[in-house]
Amino acid sequence: MSKMTMLSSPSTQSGFISLLFVALLALGLSLTVGAMVAQLRQGGGLNRSMAQGGVAVQQQQQLAAAQQKLTAWYQNPVNAWQLDSQTVIPATQLAQILAQAGVTLDGAQSAVSTLVQGSGQVAYHVFALWYGVGVFQPATGVFAPGAGNTPYVLVSGQTIEAGFVQQTQAHMNDIAELLNNYFTVQNDNDADHDVGIDWFCDPTAMANFPAQVLPCYGVGNAGDSPAALIANSVPITATAIPQMIGLSAADLATAWPVPASQIVINSQPINPQSPYNVLTLPPYPVLLNTVLPWGSNLTSGNLTMYATSS
């Protein structure tokens, strides 16, 4: 009897190779997905509130959308001024703010802090939106989530108002620099280089140099406090100074387009240490001030801006 050799058909071999390929592909995908998940967990890409199921994911997405809308509302300088000029925000006003921002709570809780005094000259409010259990501290704007990783978001005005303050301070510094430059140019052009002439405000010198000496603005007396000089300042937009030293409308604008935030000036040559009403030696001061939404004064430099003649 002859031996018969059993040979597999081509179709059988092809099926085996296909199964082997599928098994290898599944193994590779499993390893890749595992590596991606591990990397996301290590980098914080997966948070526990998002991993609790469909409800938590939906809540977190709703809060994130509300956070964007409320931040956009706060970034409007008029809204920021109106909000941060108040210490306490009533519940009725909070509801109005959320409506203006287009925020729908959908069962979430909401709260807003009292006015928080941050570092430097910045004050602001903090909004909190959350689902479930949590404790919001209105005095500090700090939120403590409850057990189970409460989904929540915060909207703080600290960075927003700090940017507005920085923008306004930059404009005031530009005005101060142009005033200093004006003083230096006029003094250099004076044949005598008389240090006794206050090119910012000198009623006596105006008789000899009417086109070069800046008119005096504001009201002041010897011994006046800084607060008194600020209170008796005048809006710089209502003076001839912008035209005389080359200021544009943008230079004169604060970040908050409301009348209460306009830049004011007091150029009365007052020296609290002198018994006389008029300074006769440099440095000659010019006070520039802007009232911030929360009532603080933003001055150019410490209190006054000085120019010294050579």
Side-chain angles (χ1 to χ4, degrees):
M1 179 180 293
S2 61
K3 295 182 179 180
M4 296 181 62
T5 303
M6 300 297 295
L7 297 176
S8 59
S9 65
S11 60
T12 303
Q13 293 178 349
S14 176
F16 175 76
I17 293 174
S18 297
L19 289 174
L20 180 61
F21 175 76
V22 170
L24 291 175
L25 180 61
L27 178 61
L29 287 174
S30 176
L31 293 175
T32 302
V33 171
M36 290 175 60
V37 170
Q39 184 176 6
L40 285 171
R41 285 176 176 170
Q42 183 177 4
L46 296 178
N47 58 59
R48 295 171 63 185
S49 63
M50 294 291 287
Q52 290 179 350
V55 174
V57 171
Q58 183 179 9
Q59 289 177 342
Q60 195 68 44
Q61 290 173 343
Q62 290 173 342
L63 290 177
Q67 184 184 42
Q68 292 179 351
K69 292 178 181 179
L70 194 52
T71 299
W73 179 91
Y74 208 152
Q75 288 173 336
N76 182 312
V78 174
N79 293 338
W81 177 277
Q82 293 175 346
L83 177 67
D84 292 330
S85 61
Q86 303 174 74
T87 301
V88 179
I89 307 300
T92 54
Q93 186 176 355
L94 172 59
Q96 293 173 354
I97 291 173
L98 295 176
Q100 291 173 4
V103 173
T104 303
L105 293 177
D106 291 329
Q109 300 184 66
S110 63
V112 60
S113 72
T114 57
L115 190 67
V116 178
Q117 186 67 48
S119 59
Q121 303 186 67
V122 179
Y124 55 93
H125 285 82
V126 179
F127 294 90
L129 304 173
W130 74 94
Y131 285 98
V133 179
V135 178
F136 181 68
Q137 300 292 340
T140 60
V142 174
F143 181 81
N149 296 306
T150 302
Y152 76 96
V153 293
L154 299 178
V155 175
S156 172
Q158 182 174 22
T159 301
I160 295 171
E161 290 290 21
F164 289 155
V165 170
Q166 184 178 15
Q167 177 184 337
T168 304
Q169 182 71 70
H171 288 182
M172 294 175 66
N173 290 342
D174 290 341
I175 296 173
E177 183 177 0
L178 287 174
L179 281 168
N180 274 325
N181 291 342
Y182 184 87
F183 189 105
T184 300
V185 169
Q186 301 310 320
N187 188 74
D188 290 344
N189 290 337
D190 177 38
D192 298 329
H193 300 288
D194 188 354
V195 296
I197 298 178
D198 179 2
W199 298 99
F200 292 143
C201 169
D202 192 332
T204 302
M206 285 191 71
N208 298 323
F209 309 97
Q212 287 76 36
V213 179
L214 297 177
C216 297
Y217 292 104
V219 177
N221 297 293
D224 279 351
S225 66
L229 295 176
I230 290 173
N232 290 288
S233 299
V234 299
I236 193 170
T237 53
T239 72
I241 289 177
Q243 293 76 20
M244 294 185 72
I245 69 175
L247 292 170
S248 67
D251 295 326
L252 303 173
T254 67
W256 306 272
V258 295
S261 70
Q262 60 190 336
I263 299 172
V264 298
I265 186 170
N266 193 324
S267 57
Q268 290 291 336
I270 302 303
N271 183 357
Q273 286 75 43
S274 170
Y276 305 101
N277 287 349
V278 179
L279 288 175
T280 57
L281 292 173
Y284 301 108
V286 174
L287 182 144
L288 297 171
N289 185 73
T290 297
V291 178
L292 299 173
W294 39 94
S296 300
N297 292 305
L298 178 65
T299 57
S300 182
N302 294 326
L303 167 65
T304 52
M305 185 277 303
Y306 292 101
T308 57
S309 56
S310 56

